[in-house]
């Protein structure tokens, strides 16, 4: 391939038709789930032989990838300074996120890809004592309208992955440091087959030795949790680990049961390991990964210094400060926050996980130490230590059954249309709306895909949780504790939105530096509120927020939409 445009065109022509078929299949699957009230969710019968064959495993994990005790999420991929700080953070790897923590404007795309190439071609940063770069392209449902082929927008996945591989694979191969990536939002084994074919074709077109690309696969969808062995099998030449995406997973759980009144959901504070569906998902992922020779990595610690500004254009799992902020940003977490991270990751290590992610460089040591205390030092993981867990088919069958269990924490005395509903506080509703409000504003008007709010990183995954919870509560009922357990209503939501607007305007008048990401014009406030109303009052749950938000990033003057400027 002589040019990026030629490379992308070949990939588009060969893989777009199948991608569209798979996206249509998602709609049919959702219809079946709704009609069966989730009873169709089970292990596929046609892949029984794959699951029953205990002899197959993934290819050997390269030495450079065997220690996955801590990856840091780059919280502003459009800032070279931030990305460099992440590379020098002491972590094993840097998740460079074009997905959940990213606002995919064309300018962001160009800056982010340029930053990656600058680091890859910097001999001081591309060394064995620096963190590896692992690219997380956009999920396969997203398009890139700034790069059209024969008038058709290219897949965001193919654009992000293709540009990265074309510009950087040769140098990474020379150094033995890639190309590596995270694969997001796979929903079933058919999509894993698509990814496998895509990676194989990329290697062929770029003359990369077969099976050199390696990937960590995110299992962040309830459908994928029933097909983890199949997903590993069809990606066995490329996959080195499965990764949990807790908030994305809960989002998928709520979304797949969006039309099921009996699947009512309590507040986010109740969605922890006290929920059987969630702990079963974690245990299954750990067990199945190790059964097939994969590593298992846990979720991201979202704690972020509260006195650092909001996030930038990119960020896997969440925001981070602009400029010197981001995943490598300044300041440090408090001792209390670091202890919380250590304890949380230590529990994941006990469950069989080999590592996890953090959002700030000051958390790297706490995360690594938590896993090393349980597993061991150096490059030891559960596959190489004496703590290798024995796979128990009986126990895993119980975990599978628990994946579709309804939530605990609903209040028996509160019912709506005969169904038990949750009881939540006014503060729950206000805080979810506030995060949703600020996130949408930053995504479309500031081109920032993640934001630090009250010391926690908020990205697309956490904002989507807030959206679907509020939608579900409005549609199927939720009791407000402070209002004598009366139901949440649309008028209450509208009043809260107006209160949030007033509060943000007051902060703007006070010129608080740390609130730069919370400042919007009057017209922008109106747009944000109208979008939230549209999201929360639609009869059918809108699948993904970027479906409605992405057009706001586009310059609709067709004469200046660029085919390629890479």
């Amino acid at each position: 391939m002589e040019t990026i445009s030629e490379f992308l065109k070949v990939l588009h022509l060969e893989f777009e038709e199948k991608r569209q078929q798979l996206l249509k299949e998602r709609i049919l699957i959702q219809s079946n789930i709704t009609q069966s009230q989730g009873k169709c969710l089970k292990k596929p019968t046609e892949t029984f032989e794959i699951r029953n064959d205990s002899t197959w495993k993934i290819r050997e994990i390269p030495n450079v990838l065997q220690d996955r005790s801590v990856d840091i999420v780059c919280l502003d991929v459009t800032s070279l300074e931030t990305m460099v700080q992440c590379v020098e953070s002491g972590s094993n790897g840097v998740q460079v996120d074009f997905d959940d923590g990213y606002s995919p404007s064309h300018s962001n795309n160009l800056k982010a890809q340029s930053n990656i190439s600058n680091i890859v071609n910097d001999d001081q940063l591309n060394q064995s004592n620096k963190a590896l770069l692992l690219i997380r392209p956009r999920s396969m449902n997203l398009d890139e309208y700034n790069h059209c082929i024969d008038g058709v927008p290219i897949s965001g996945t193919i654009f992000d992955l293709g540009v990265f591989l074309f510009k950087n694979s040769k140098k990474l191969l020379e150094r033995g440091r890639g190309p590596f990536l995270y694969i997001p939002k796979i929903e079933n084994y058919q999509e894993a087959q698509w990814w496998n074919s895509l990676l194989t074709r990329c290697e062929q077109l770029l003359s990369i030795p077969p099976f050199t690309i390696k990937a960590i696969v995110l299992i962040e969808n309830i459908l994928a949790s029933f097909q983890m062995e199949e997903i590993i099998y069809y990606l066995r030449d490329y996959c080195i680990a499965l990764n949990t995406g807790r908030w994305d997973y809960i989002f998928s759980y709520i979304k797949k049961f969006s039309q099921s009144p009996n699947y009512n959901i309590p507040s986010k504070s109740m969605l922890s390991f006290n929920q059987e569906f969630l702990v079963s998902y974690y245990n299954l992922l750990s067990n199945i990964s190790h059964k097939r020779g994969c590593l298992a990595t846990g979720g991201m610690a979202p704690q972020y210094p509260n006195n650092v500004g909001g996030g930038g254009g990119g960020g896997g799992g969440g925001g981070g400060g602009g400029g010197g902020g981001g995943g490598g940003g300044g300041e440090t977490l408090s001792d209390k926050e670091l202890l919380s991270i250590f304890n949380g990751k230590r529990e994941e290590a006990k469950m069989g996980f080999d590592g996890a992610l953090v959002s700030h460089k000051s958390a790297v040591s706490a995360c690594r130490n938590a896993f090393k205390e349980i597993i061991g030092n150096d490059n030891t993981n559960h596959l190489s230590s004496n703590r290798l867990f024995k796979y128990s088919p009986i126990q895993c069958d119980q975990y599978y059954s628990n994946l579709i269990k309804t939530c605990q924490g609903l209040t028996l005395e509160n019912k709506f249309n005969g169904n038990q509903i949750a009881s939540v506080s006014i503060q729950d509703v206000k805080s979810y709306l506030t995060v949703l409000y600020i996130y949408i504003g930053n995504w479309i008007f500031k081109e920032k895909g993640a934001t630090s709010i009250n010391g926690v990183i908020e990205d697309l995954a956490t904002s989507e949780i807030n959206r679907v919870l509020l939608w579900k509560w409005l549609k199927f009922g939720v009791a407000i504790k402070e209002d004598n357990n009366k139901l949440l209503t649309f008028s209450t939501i509208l009043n809260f939105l107006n209160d949030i607007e007033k509060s943000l305007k007051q902060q703007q008048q006070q010129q608080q530096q740390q609130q730069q990401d919370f400042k919007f014009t009057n017209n922008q406030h109106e747009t944000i509120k109208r979008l939230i109303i549209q999201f929360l009052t639609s009869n059918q749950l809108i699948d993904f927020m970027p479906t409605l938000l992405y057009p706001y990033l586009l310059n609709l003057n067709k004469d200046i939409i660029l085919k390629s400027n890479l």
Side-chain angles (χ1 to χ4, degrees):
M1 292 284 106
E2 295 295 326
T3 67
I4 293 179
S5 292
E6 289 177 327
F7 180 54
L8 294 177
K9 183 172 183 177
V10 170
L11 295 178
H12 172 80
L13 294 176
E14 292 187 12
F15 290 94
E16 178 62 12
E17 182 179 356
K18 182 62 176 178
R19 181 178 78 102
Q20 293 298 334
Q21 291 176 2
L22 291 169
L23 294 178
K24 289 177 183 177
E25 282 296 316
R26 287 186 177 186
I27 298 173
L28 295 176
I29 292 169
Q30 179 61 62
S31 177
N32 289 336
I33 293 172
T34 300
Q35 292 178 11
S36 70
Q37 294 288 297
K39 293 178 182 177
C40 66
L41 288 176
K42 59 185 68 174
K43 292 178 286 186
T45 56
E46 71 273 16
T47 55
F48 171 79
E49 290 185 2
I50 291 175
R51 295 190 302 273
N52 199 46
D53 182 354
S54 62
T55 62
W56 67 266
K57 294 184 183 296
I58 64 166
R59 286 180 178 268
E60 185 177 353
I61 300 173
N63 289 336
V64 72
L65 288 170
Q66 288 184 5
D67 185 357
R68 305 264 35 91
S69 56
V70 55
D71 280 358
I72 190 171
V73 181
C74 181
L75 302 178
D76 185 357
V77 297
T78 67
S79 166
L80 179 60
E81 180 183 358
T82 299
M83 202 177 292
V84 169
Q85 289 174 348
C86 290
V87 170
E88 296 180 331
S89 66
S91 64
N92 300 106
V94 180
Q95 187 192 88
V96 183
D97 185 17
F98 289 87
D99 192 39
D100 274 358
Y102 184 70
S103 178
S105 68
H106 193 58
S107 60
N108 280 350
N109 292 340
L110 299 181
K111 285 186 286 187
Q113 292 286 356
S114 175
N115 290 340
I116 293 169
S117 294
N118 286 336
I119 289 177
V120 169
N121 289 285
D122 186 326
D123 290 338
Q124 297 301 312
L125 296 173
N126 196 12
Q127 295 184 359
S128 59
N129 63 339
K130 306 296 183 183
L132 299 166
L133 295 181
L134 296 96
I135 309 305
R136 176 176 170 175
R138 274 170 281 183
S139 53
M140 65 182 298
N141 61 296
L142 300 176
D143 296 317
E144 175 50 66
Y145 279 84
N146 290 295
H147 192 103
C148 295
I149 295 172
D150 298 332
V152 178
I154 194 172
S155 154
T157 298
I158 288 177
F159 183 86
D160 298 338
L161 177 66
V163 174
F164 163 67
L165 291 176
F166 189 92
K167 297 181 70 173
N168 304 291
S169 59
K170 182 178 179 180
K171 188 71 173 181
L172 290 169
L173 282 167
E174 291 175 358
R175 292 280 187 172
R177 292 172 58 80
F180 304 138
L181 60 142
Y182 278 84
I183 296 179
K185 294 182 174 61
I186 282 183
E187 295 198 6
N188 51 54
Y189 73 83
Q190 291 90 345
E191 294 179 8
Q193 290 174 315
W194 182 86
W195 267 99
N196 182 76
S197 298
L198 176 62
L199 296 180
T200 299
R201 189 62 172 138
C202 286
E203 290 179 333
Q204 292 170 349
L205 292 171
L206 297 177
S207 299
I208 298 172
F211 317 131
T212 300
I213 297 172
K214 295 299 176 185
I216 297 173
V217 180
L218 287 94
I219 302 297
E220 47 192 349
N221 188 285
I222 188 171
L223 303 182
S225 64
F226 284 93
Q227 302 185 30
M228 282 189 273
E229 289 196 78
E230 292 88 340
I231 289 169
I232 295 172
Y233 178 81
Y234 286 111
L235 282 165
R236 62 193 182 279
D237 292 322
Y238 299 104
C239 177
I240 64 106
L242 299 186
N243 173 251
T244 58
R246 177 185 172 192
W247 291 119
D248 267 312
Y249 187 83
I250 296 173
F251 167 55
S252 80
Y253 173 90
I254 301 171
K255 186 168 66 170
K256 296 307 178 188
F257 297 115
S258 62
Q259 296 294 333
S260 302
N262 55 319
Y263 277 87
N264 221 319
I265 314 294
S267 62
K268 279 166 49 174
S269 62
M270 300 292 293
L271 299 176
S272 60
F273 285 139
N274 64 319
Q275 301 291 351
E276 286 188 275
F277 79 90
L278 193 58
V279 72
S280 294
Y281 153 63
Y282 266 69
N283 279 310
L284 263 179
L285 190 144
S286 170
N287 274 267
I288 289 174
S289 294
H290 294 147
K291 174 186 177 183
R292 298 303 182 180
C294 286
L295 299 174
T297 56
M300 185 195 74
Q303 292 89 338
Y304 200 85
N306 199 26
N307 55 344
V308 178
E331 308 301 332
T332 62
L333 294 167
S334 68
D335 290 342
K336 181 179 180 181
E337 290 169 316
L338 292 174
L339 181 61
S340 174
I341 291 170
F342 176 86
N343 288 336
K345 298 310 171 188
R346 190 172 182 272
E347 290 305 308
E348 288 185 1
K350 289 180 180 178
M351 294 173 72
F353 285 85
D354 302 291
L357 296 98
V358 298
S359 63
H360 193 262
K361 66 180 183 181
S362 62
V364 168
S365 294
C367 182
R368 171 173 285 115
N369 291 339
F371 284 96
K372 295 311 177 187
E373 179 177 301
I374 300 300
I375 304 172
N377 294 316
D378 303 320
N379 290 341
T380 306
N381 53 54
H382 281 102
L383 295 174
S384 59
S385 75
N386 58 7
R387 299 194 73 255
L388 178 59
F389 294 94
K390 297 295 184 182
Y391 178 82
S392 168
I394 296 176
Q395 182 63 67
C396 285
D397 281 343
Q398 183 60 53
Y399 291 146
Y400 279 117
S401 298
N402 291 342
L403 289 176
I404 59 173
K405 280 205 168 183
T406 54
C407 276
Q408 301 175 28
L410 305 181
T411 307
L412 288 172
E413 60 267 23
N414 293 322
K415 288 195 173 184
F416 178 63
N417 290 339
N419 292 299
Q420 188 181 335
I421 62 174
S423 180
V424 301
S425 69
I426 289 177
Q427 184 56 37
D428 286 330
V429 178
K430 281 186 174 180
S431 64
Y432 299 170
L433 275 174
T434 300
V435 168
L436 191 58
Y437 194 111
I438 294 171
Y439 184 79
I440 289 174
N442 274 273
W443 205 94
I444 61 178
F445 296 123
K446 302 179 188 297
E447 299 183 359
K448 295 182 176 181
T451 303
S452 174
I453 302 176
N454 297 324
V456 174
I457 293 304
E458 304 288 355
D459 71 344
L460 182 63
T462 56
S463 299
E464 288 280 37
I465 284 278
N466 294 346
R467 172 178 73 93
V468 296
L469 277 174
L470 292 166
W471 181 90
K472 186 93 175 181
W473 291 346
L474 279 176
K475 188 172 182 68
F476 293 109
V478 72
I480 303 299
K481 295 175 184 177
E482 297 91 338
D483 195 16
N484 295 318
N485 282 334
K486 291 181 181 178
L487 294 178
L488 175 67
T489 64
F490 170 73
S491 61
T492 303
I493 293 288
L494 193 57
N495 288 335
F496 286 169
L497 288 174
N498 290 327
D499 289 343
I500 293 168
E501 179 184 4
K502 291 176 184 178
S503 175
L504 293 177
K505 285 181 176 179
Q506 289 174 356
Q507 293 180 21
Q508 183 171 342
Q509 292 172 355
Q510 296 168 4
Q511 295 294 312
Q512 295 181 14
Q513 184 63 34
Q514 65 267 35
Q515 304 295 343
Q516 287 295 323
D517 282 353
F518 306 166
K519 297 180 179 180
F520 308 104
T521 67
N522 289 334
N523 286 338
Q524 289 172 346
H525 278 291
E526 285 299 308
T527 299
I528 295 167
K529 289 192 293 183
R530 290 178 189 278
L531 281 167
I532 291 176
I533 290 170
Q534 187 173 1
F535 281 128
L536 300 188
T537 60
S538 60
N539 184 48
Q540 300 291 323
L541 180 66
I542 295 171
D543 208 27
F544 287 100
M545 285 202 296
T547 304
L548 294 188
L549 301 184
Y550 184 52
Y552 288 87
L553 298 179
L554 297 176
N555 188 323
L556 299 181
N557 181 347
K558 65 180 181 180
D559 294 329
I560 61 173
I561 291 181
L562 304 178
K563 279 192 172 183
S564 179
N565 188 22
L566 298 164

